Every structure is written in structure tokens, then in C-alpha cells.
Amino acid sequence: MASLSITHIPNPQFFHFKSEKSRRSPHFAPIHVSKLHENGQSSRIVVYKSYLHQITSLCKDGKIQEAVDLLTEMESRDLRIGPQIYGEILQGCVWERAFFTGQQIHARIIKNGDFCTRNEYVETKLVVFYAKCDARDVANSLFRRLSVQNVFSWAAIIGLHCRLGSYEESLLGFCEMQEIGVFPDNFVIPNALKACGALQLIGFGKGVHGYVVKVGLDGCVFVGSSLVDMYGKCDEVEDARKVFDRMPERNTVAWNSMIVSYGQNGLNKEALEMFYDMRVEGVELTGVTVSSFLSASANLSAVEEGRQGHAIAVLSGLELDNNLGSSILNFYGKVGLVEDAELVFRSMFEKDVVTWNLLISCYVQNGEVEKALDMCRLMRSENMRFDSVTLTSVLSMCADTSNLKLGKEGHGYCIRHNLESDVVVASCIMNMYAKCKRIGSAIQVFSSTTQRDLILWNTLLAAYADLGLSGEALKLFYRMQLDGVPPNVISYNSIILGFLRNGQVDEAKEMFSQMQSLNVLPNLVTWTTLISGLTQNGFGCDAILVFQQMQEAGIRPNTVSATSALSACRDLALLRYGKTIHGYVIRHDLCLSIPITTSLVDMYAKCGSICQAKNVFNVVVNKELPIYNAMISGYAIHGQALEALSLYKHLEDVGIKPDSITFSSILSACNHAGLVSEGLELLDDMVSEHSVKPTMEHYSCVVSLLSKSGDLEKAYELLQTIPYEPDAQILGSLLAACKERHEIELGEYLSEHLLKLEPDNSGNYIALSNVYAAAGMWNVVTEVRNVMKGKGLYKNPGCSWIHIGEELHVFVAGDGSHPKTEEIYATLALLEMEMHLMGYSPMIY
């Protein structure tokens, strides 16, 4: 221990010793003793103050043990220890969270007797010490025994409850202290506001705000920052901004609170703008600032902004601790920059489980399965134990890849380490089994879980719905209510999805109406599920109507709902509604999305507006393969084979590899235009140049192309070489060509196989009778027709429609019920006559 530069202190016993000389000189003795006592008392005060000063300095420097050593030295010299010294050491223990040392000081205080134990200052310091060290029971016990519960002890105990998540107790204490006449100060109020925010008690929070204004604390920057944070957590962002704008002084905490409030409420763009304003104002940035900025950037997929945030953190000299490092890692993982995430991970000196989990999650989200598994193995080699988050990522990966073997291993790990009782982990195990088509195993996990919350019920509901098991889903839906678990919007979403997957459209609509009548408000997922399901089940008009109702309900459509509505417009050739949706997505910045632009090109092309499809295609700057495929398909539909081929060749120029869909579209274009050599060359290029395996659809296009060109022999040869069993479509195209070429024998052979595949398809009998009719074999035609009648088969008449204004006009072959039938046929006759005069003849393509 360092030596103390203090004046030598005589033995305290010296002051009580009376010399012989003094006893012989009674007149002198009183004066001498008085001076000795006076000088000794003054000396003791000087020494006490010296000790106090040194102990205070040591405590502020974090040298608690040295301060305790001085205290021990004072006790050894029989110097009386005052409350102030105990208070200073206790405060030092608070700063250093030196719990054991603080307990030792408490013991010395008790040993010293009531002189200190009943002192208000020492009592308060003890409560503050135990509260700051999160010793709830001791702190509460001492607090309740206080002779005076002052504002400092109340601040300590309310802060303790707040830190430990006992927010209700914090607010009860806030009310109780005022009832006994102790008024909250700028240390108590921030904790009360934090509790209001955590419990989302906006009414109570506004009451606290009123108190703040009443007592004049609204100018305090700490209180103001807490108000901003409280309003943000209660989803009252506008009120948070009002408080922020009225603050006379704004420190880093205030700015951080506002940025966090924007981020928590999904206003990520506003969070970025606030960050830039903060930098313009020259306010010092902290790790919390950059972390919040990176979170908003990740949610917006704003790659450049996130990179800037990382650069700012480096340039500002912010320490790459677990919190900031994890935020940067999380950003790179969410935007798909895996290599950057790896670099950040390697540069972090301290890595906790959260850090490892983030990189594993990054790999999982970006489909890097092997890397995720390698990281799990490395994590175990570093003696890091998997937690529930690790297992959730691994099980999600197993679900996405249908890796049942690995999923079972993960399940086994959960059982061995008692993680199966975690509801989130149990939910992931069930989801994994369901995605691996092992619904029985998912049910077993559900049945073995004792604490079934709403999440677990919803997981099994979603599993049933995903497999189209609507009956089982509905039974479970009612069972959960009998077990006292009320369904939420997620539960209803699963039931609606299950019905739609099973083609039960009316039941899905009924469930949708039922949830609204029970005041369960449909969310974005509900509306999107209904629109998509209606479109996929052929109820396009209903899908468009629901899309309109969705906007009327104040729910902003997302990419999926918009593309589904555009698909409905495409299927029904509702160009007018398609244009309306196009206008909507432009106004709401959805047009930059590749799925949206692809759907727009597809919708315009199939609604007959190829020029508008091309305009949308040209507007897109960064084109990807799906939009090229949609445009090639559009050209094919409109018979513009040369344009389709040109765009296909352009893919090579921009470095995009074609896929199976590309070849389906381009071969279809060749088929419509009769480009035989080009079609055969493309079929060869699929395998030799692009390693794309031809499907039945590709072979069907080429067989149809050869058949229509009159090369039936080559078409039949190709049919015999394909590695698939011929389907009805490919046989039908050959059979239709037999009619034109009067190939009766081949036609009979093909019909035999076709009728085996589709014995109840009237179209096959009609195609065969047409072959015989073309050859003038009318007696055989009659026989085929009689066979059809005997089977009760009738040919459905061809149907087409056109949408003019608000009216849909339907035309059926041979039907003359349209009110303007005579005008229509007269116009067709004129067109036919004009075609003949100009030398055009009908095409068979």
C-alpha cells in the first residue's frame, strides 16, 4: 500500500494522561489540558479530512481496495469513521459494481452501531448500492426499513425494478412516492417513462408528461430523451417528434431516441434522414446511433447507405464491440453481402453467441447451407454452446432444404440439452417436420409439449394449411378455442390458406367474413393470401374486387398482392384494370420491383397490348432473366418471332444465361411462325451450349413445329427418341397434322394411344373424326360420332370474350344470341373479302 503523507498522530491515549508536573501545579494544569484537547481535536479533524479526501479520490479512480485499506488503517488508529466515508466507499462500489466489497462495508457499518446504521445518508447509500448491483431482495428489505424514504432511495428502487423488467412495480412505486409527499425528480421520471414505453401505457405516459410540464422539468435533456423514447415505443411517433423538436437542448441520447423510434415503427427512411440531420448538426455519434442506422438500412435493403454507416463507424473510431459488430454483421447478412459479413466477423476480437448466430443466420438466409454447417462445427470446437437462436437457424435451414436427417439431429440436440421446452424451438422443430412432409412427427412434438402457447398452435395450423389439409386445420382451429387459446389473425390466415390450397373458395370467403365480424382485423398477409388464392383458383374478378377492398381498408398492397392482381387481369384480359394497378404501383414506388415489372409485361402482352409491354420492359434499367422471359413470351404470343429471337440473342450480350422458361417461350415463338431450322437449332443449343435439360413442353413445341411444317416423319422420329412418355398435348398436335396431310394410318395409331391417355376427352374423338373427314371417309366419321354419343361425350363449343368499357361480351361458337350478331358477321365477311382481294390465305399455325 502506498505511504500516506500525513502529520504524525500521537497515541490517542496520550490525551488522557496527566503528568506529575501538572498535578503539582493545579493553577497551570487546566490551561495546559485545555490547549492539549484543543490542539488534539483540531489535529484529528485535519487527519480525518485527509483520509476522506484520499478515499474519495481512490473511489473515483476505481481503486476500491486501496480505499478499503485506508478505512482499515483508520480503524486501527481508533479514528472514528463518519457516515461520509462509508458513503464514499459505497458509491465507489456502485461505480465498480464491487458487490462483495460493498457487503463487507455493510458489515462494518452494522458493527459500528446505530451511529451509522440509523444515519439517513448511509441508509440511502446502502439502498442505492444494493439496487445498482441488482440485489432485489436485499434492496427492497432495506428500503422498507428506511427511517426516511427520500427521493434518492425511491429513484434507486424504481430504477432497480425497471432494469429487472418489473415495470408494473416501477409505476406503482412512482405513484406511491407521490402519495407520501416525495416528488419525482429528473432521475425518477426517466425510469417511469421507460416502464410506460415497455408496457405501452400511453395514457399513463401522457400523465407523466403532464407532470413533467407542471413541475418545469420539460427543459431537462434527460427527461426529454425519455419522453421521445416512450412515445416511440407506444407507436406515437408524431408525438415523439413534437417533443424532440421542442427540446431546448438535444444531446446524443435524444437524437438516438428519435432514430430508434422511427426504426421501431417501420419508418426506416425517416430514420436515415434523422441520421443525416444529426451529422449535419455535428452531434457526436455513438455505437447506438450507427447500429440504429444500419438496422434501418438493412430493412430498406439500402446497400450504399449501410456501407456508409460502416465507414462512419470506422472513421469515428467507434469500438467494434459485440453490439456494434453484431449490427454491422446483421446488415451485411440481410442485404446478402456474405463475404463482407465474414470479414466483419473475423475482425471482431470478442465474439459471443449472438455474433456466431448472426453469421450462421446470414448463411442460412442466403442459401449457404454448407458454410452454415461448417460454422456450427467451428462454434462447437470453440466450446460455444448452441442456444435456442442457433437451433432455430439450423432447423429453419433443414426446413428450407427438406433435410430430414440433419433436422432429426437438431431435434436430438434439443432433447439432450433441454431446449425442446422452448416454445420457439419446438415451433421450429414442428415446422421442419412439416416441410419435410412428416406431419405425423410434427403432431408428436406438438402433443409432447406441455406449455402450448398461441405460437405453437399456429405452427401446426400453418403446417396443415401448407399441405392443403383444410379439414384437419379446421378441427385444430376449434380445438384450440376449446383449450382456452383464442385464435388471432395468424390463425385465421392459416385456415383461409388451407381452404384456398384445397380449392374451397366459398369456405375461404366465409372465414374471411367471420374474422371481420369477430373484430379480428385482416392484415396484409390475410388480404394477400385471399387475392393470390382467388387468382390461382380462377376467380380473377373476385381477386380484383378484394384488391380494391384492401386499399379501402387502409392496407397498402405489397409486391405479392399486386402481382396476384395483375395475374387476375392477365387471365381475364382485363386491360383496363391492369392499367389501373400499373398506375397504383408507380405512385407507390413498387414499379422498381422485378416481380412487378415482369407481371406488368406479361399482363400487357396477354391482354393484347404488346407495345405497352415493350414500354414497361424498356423502362427497367437493371433487367433480370424473368423480365426477359416475359418479353420473349409476349413476342411469341403476338407472332413476332424475329423480335423474340433477337431478344434471346441479346441475353448472351448482357451475360445472362437462359433457363428452361426462356427456351419454352422462344420455341413457342418459332412454332407460331413456322421457323423450323431455328427451332431445331435452339433445341440442340439447350443441351450443348446451356446445359438445360429439355422437358416435355420443349419437345412438344418442336414436334408441333415439325408437324405443322408437314414433316410428319421427322416429328414422329423425334417423338420416339424423347426420354418421356408422350402426353396428350404432343400426341394431339401430331394428330391435328395428320388431318391436314391425310395420314390416316398414323392418325389411327396416334388416336389409339391418345384415347388410352384421355378416354373421356371429347376433343380426341373430334380430332380423329376430322382425320377421317379430311380423307372423305364419312362412314367412319359417323361411327366415331356414334361412339361419342354412346359414351355421353359432347364437344364443348369454343368460347371467347372481350371487355369493352364496363361490359363483358362473350361469344360461343355457333351462337347467335348477341344483340349485334348481324353487324358482327357482316364485318367479318367484309374483312374476309378484303383479305382475299389482297392475296392473303388462311394459315394453319
Side-chain angles (χ1 to χ4, degrees):
M1 183 180 71
S3 60
L4 299 174
S5 55
I6 57 175
T7 308
H8 175 70
I9 302 174
N11 191 314
Q13 299 298 323
F14 175 80
F15 294 104
H16 304 287
F17 175 75
K18 293 183 180 179
S19 65
E20 289 296 323
K21 186 177 180 180
S22 64
R23 268 181 268 162
R24 291 194 194 100
S25 310
H27 297 290
F28 176 74
I31 298 173
H32 179 69
V33 171
S34 174
K35 284 184 178 180
L36 282 173
H37 276 288
E38 186 177 326
N39 291 337
Q41 187 68 18
S42 175
S43 176
R44 290 169 70 86
I45 291 172
V46 170
V47 171
Y48 181 85
K49 286 184 177 180
S50 176
Y51 273 110
L52 175 61
H53 174 72
Q54 291 182 75
I55 288 172
T56 302
S57 298
L58 289 169
C59 288
K60 286 180 178 179
D61 292 338
K63 300 175 181 179
I64 304 300
Q65 189 54 52
E66 292 184 28
V68 174
D69 290 342
L70 282 182
L71 175 65
T72 304
E73 185 176 317
M74 290 180 71
E75 289 174 340
S76 68
R77 306 182 81 161
D78 288 336
L79 292 175
R80 191 172 191 181
I81 314 299
Q84 196 170 2
I85 285 181
Y86 285 127
E88 289 294 336
I89 296 179
L90 284 170
Q91 185 60 53
C93 293
V94 168
W95 287 331
E96 297 299 316
R97 297 296 188 268
F99 184 66
F100 181 70
T101 304
Q103 286 181 309
Q104 289 180 319
I105 300 302
H106 188 187
R108 293 190 185 195
I109 292 170
I110 294 172
K111 186 179 178 181
N112 235 340
D114 289 346
F115 171 67
C116 285
T117 55
R118 304 307 298 169
N119 180 275
E120 180 184 346
Y121 175 70
V122 173
E123 282 184 315
T124 302
K125 281 293 183 182
L126 282 168
V127 171
V128 170
F129 162 71
Y130 282 110
K132 291 290 186 181
C133 291
D134 295 338
R136 184 203 296 263
D137 294 338
V138 181
N140 280 329
S141 176
L142 290 174
F143 178 74
R144 293 304 170 192
R145 296 205 308 265
L146 285 175
S147 54
V148 178
Q149 293 176 341
N150 56 32
V151 68
F152 303 106
S153 56
W154 276 108
I157 212 71
I158 290 172
L160 168 66
H161 291 316
C162 214
R163 278 195 309 279
L164 298 181
S166 302
Y167 300 112
E168 294 89 346
E169 291 186 45
S170 294
L171 295 179
L172 287 172
F174 179 77
C175 296
E176 186 183 342
M177 70 181 291
Q178 295 176 75
E179 289 174 2
I180 64 174
V182 181
F183 298 106
D185 62 3
N186 57 341
F187 291 98
V188 176
I189 289 170
N191 281 311
L193 290 170
K194 181 181 178 181
C196 291
L199 298 172
Q200 293 198 317
L201 296 177
I202 185 61
F204 200 115
K206 286 184 175 180
V208 177
H209 190 180
Y211 173 85
V212 166
V213 175
K214 182 179 178 181
V215 299
L217 286 173
D218 48 334
C220 174
V221 67
F222 303 109
V223 173
S225 301
S226 299
L227 282 168
V228 171
D229 183 65
M230 182 274 293
Y231 279 120
K233 284 187 169 63
C234 291
D235 302 332
E236 300 287 343
V237 188
E238 291 183 5
D239 289 331
R241 186 58 192 257
K242 287 177 184 177
V243 173
F244 179 82
D245 289 339
R246 291 171 184 167
M247 289 177 68
E249 177 190 357
R250 293 190 286 261
N251 62 4
T252 301
V253 176
W255 284 90
N256 286 350
S257 298
M258 196 64 238
I259 294 172
V260 170
S261 295
Y262 278 135
Q264 288 173 341
N265 287 276
L267 301 173
N268 298 296
K269 188 176 180 181
E270 288 79 358
L272 299 190
E273 292 172 354
M274 180 63 67
F275 178 82
Y276 292 131
D277 291 342
M278 184 177 180
R279 293 198 68 208
V280 170
E281 292 286 332
V283 182
E284 182 183 0
L285 305 178
T286 65
V288 175
T289 321
V290 179
S291 294
S292 302
F293 176 78
L294 287 166
S295 177
S297 301
N299 293 334
L300 291 171
S301 296
V303 177
E304 290 305 316
E305 287 80 357
R307 286 186 183 277
Q308 289 174 17
H310 186 184
I312 289 168
V314 174
L315 293 172
S316 301
L318 296 176
E319 183 183 354
L320 195 66
D321 56 12
N322 282 334
N323 291 329
L324 181 56
S326 296
S327 296
I328 299 171
L329 191 58
N330 178 60
F331 161 73
Y332 284 125
K334 281 190 174 180
V335 299
L337 298 175
V338 179
E339 292 182 0
D340 294 277
E342 291 171 338
L343 286 173
V344 173
F345 181 83
R346 285 197 292 267
S347 64
M348 293 177 66
F349 294 107
E350 294 183 9
K351 302 180 183 75
D352 57 10
V353 177
V354 175
T355 315
W356 286 86
N357 286 343
L358 280 169
L359 189 58
I360 292 170
S361 176
C362 169
Y363 286 140
V364 172
Q365 290 170 6
N366 290 280
E368 300 276 3
V369 177
E370 288 304 319
K371 284 189 175 182
L373 292 175
D374 289 341
M375 189 55 60
C376 289
R377 297 185 191 102
L378 184 59
M379 186 177 178
R380 293 292 294 144
S381 69
E382 294 283 339
N383 295 321
M384 299 287 288
R385 185 174 177 178
F386 295 165
D387 63 3
S388 58
V389 179
T390 323
L391 269 299
T392 299
S393 294
V394 172
L395 290 166
S396 298
M397 177 178 63
C398 297
D400 294 339
T401 58
S402 298
N403 191 335
L404 182 61
K405 181 178 181 295
L406 182 61
K408 283 183 174 180
E409 290 178 11
H411 187 187
Y413 184 93
C414 294
I415 294 171
R416 291 194 301 274
H417 293 85
N418 298 318
L419 289 170
E420 196 180 20
S421 58
D422 187 297
V423 175
V424 177
V425 173
S427 176
C428 284
I429 295 170
M430 289 169 57
N431 180 59
M432 179 272 297
Y433 281 123
K435 290 291 176 64
C436 292
K437 303 294 187 291
R438 295 296 182 93
I439 190 68
S441 299
I443 294 169
Q444 286 180 357
V445 175
F446 177 81
S447 302
S448 64
T449 307
T450 53
Q451 300 295 328
R452 298 177 197 151
D453 66 354
L454 184 57
I455 294 174
L456 215 60
W457 286 92
N458 282 343
T459 301
L460 191 55
L461 275 175
Y464 281 136
D466 196 48
L467 295 171
L469 302 173
S470 56
E472 288 78 358
L474 193 60
K475 289 176 188 175
L476 189 70
F477 181 74
Y478 290 126
R479 181 182 155 196
M480 68 186 287
Q481 295 175 69
L482 292 174
D483 281 10
V485 181
N488 64 357
V489 65
I490 299 173
S491 316
Y492 280 98
N493 289 348
S494 294
I495 296 296
I496 292 170
L497 176 64
F499 282 135
L500 292 170
R501 283 275 172 90
N502 210 31
Q504 297 169 282
V505 174
D506 291 337
E507 289 83 351
K509 289 181 180 178
E510 176 63 28
M511 188 58 67
F512 181 73
S513 301
Q514 181 182 329
M515 69 183 292
Q516 291 176 300
S517 65
L518 294 172
N519 293 322
V520 180
L521 294 178
N523 61 11
L524 177 61
V525 176
T526 319
W527 291 98
T528 302
T529 301
L530 192 58
I531 293 167
S532 302
L534 289 169
T535 301
Q536 290 165 5
N537 283 282
F539 290 80
C541 290
D542 290 347
I544 294 169
L545 181 62
V546 172
F547 185 77
Q548 292 172 330
Q549 293 172 347
M550 175 184 186
Q551 296 169 69
E552 291 168 4
I555 304 294
R556 179 176 172 177
N558 62 359
T559 300
V560 178
S561 50
T563 53
S564 298
L566 286 169
S567 296
C569 296
R570 174 203 65 197
D571 295 341
L572 295 174
L574 299 178
L575 181 60
R576 178 171 171 270
Y577 288 109
K579 285 183 176 180
T580 303
I581 297 171
H582 187 185
Y584 176 88
V585 298
I586 290 174
R587 291 192 302 274
H588 293 85
D589 296 328
L590 290 174
C591 200
L592 297 177
S593 164
I594 289 296
I596 289 285
T597 49
T598 302
S599 297
L600 283 169
V601 170
D602 192 39
M603 181 274 297
Y604 277 121
K606 289 177 179 173
C607 287
S609 184
I610 190 66
C611 292
Q612 191 62 43
K614 190 175 181 180
N615 289 339
V616 174
F617 177 81
N618 291 335
V619 166
V620 180
V621 179
N622 298 315
K623 298 180 180 69
E624 296 181 14
L625 182 59
I627 196 168
Y628 277 104
N629 287 344
M631 195 67 236
I632 291 171
S633 175
Y635 282 137
I637 292 168
H638 286 262
Q640 298 181 14
L642 296 179
E643 289 82 351
L645 284 168
S646 176
L647 193 57
Y648 164 75
K649 291 174 182 176
H650 180 67
L651 285 176
E652 187 176 349
D653 298 335
V654 294
I656 297 178
K657 288 183 67 66
D659 63 1
S660 179
I661 298 172
T662 316
F663 284 105
S664 294
S665 299
I666 195 65
L667 285 171
S668 176
C670 293
N671 185 22
H672 285 301
L675 302 176
V676 179
S677 60
E678 289 84 350
L680 292 173
E681 185 180 344
L682 283 167
L683 184 64
D684 183 60
D685 286 348
M686 280 184 69
V687 180
S688 61
E689 297 292 333
H690 302 288
S691 301
V692 176
K693 184 181 179 182
T695 64
M696 179 61 77
E697 183 181 4
H698 300 122
Y699 285 118
S700 181
C701 276
V702 178
V703 168
S704 177
L705 174 60
L706 291 168
S707 302
K708 289 175 181 178
S709 67
D711 198 344
L712 284 177
E713 185 178 348
K714 198 167 186 177
Y716 186 67
E717 287 177 4
L718 178 61
L719 183 65
Q720 291 179 312
T721 60
I722 64 175
Y724 307 102
E725 281 294 323
D727 60 8
Q729 182 180 357
I730 197 168
L731 292 174
S733 64
L734 264 175
L735 184 59
C738 289
K739 169 197 168 185
E740 301 297 330
R741 306 300 170 186
H742 306 295
E743 291 284 350
I744 298 172
E745 186 178 349
L746 181 59
E748 289 177 335
Y749 176 77
L750 292 171
S751 297
E752 183 181 342
H753 287 280
L754 194 56
L755 292 173
K756 286 180 181 177
L757 287 173
E758 297 179 342
D760 296 324
N761 186 344
S762 61
N764 296 333
Y765 289 94
I766 297 297
L768 179 59
S769 68
N770 288 340
V771 173
Y772 290 125
M777 301 171 66
W778 299 107
N779 57 332
V780 186
V781 170
T782 304
E783 290 178 11
V784 174
R785 298 282 179 165
N786 289 335
V787 172
M788 282 183 64
K789 288 180 182 178
K791 288 179 171 286
L793 300 176
Y794 298 94
K795 184 180 185 302
N796 294 322
C799 176
S800 61
W801 63 87
I802 185 171
H803 210 276
I804 301 175
E806 297 292 331
E807 193 174 355
L808 186 69
H809 299 264
V810 180
F811 300 94
V812 178
D815 180 24
S817 61
H818 195 278
K820 294 188 178 182
T821 299
E822 291 184 6
E823 295 178 38
I824 292 168
Y825 279 105
T827 303
L828 287 173
L830 288 172
L831 286 171
E832 186 179 5
M833 187 183 302
E834 187 174 344
M835 287 173 66
H836 281 294
L837 289 172
M838 296 181 68
Y840 288 103
S841 59
M843 296 177 66
I844 65 170
Y845 300 107

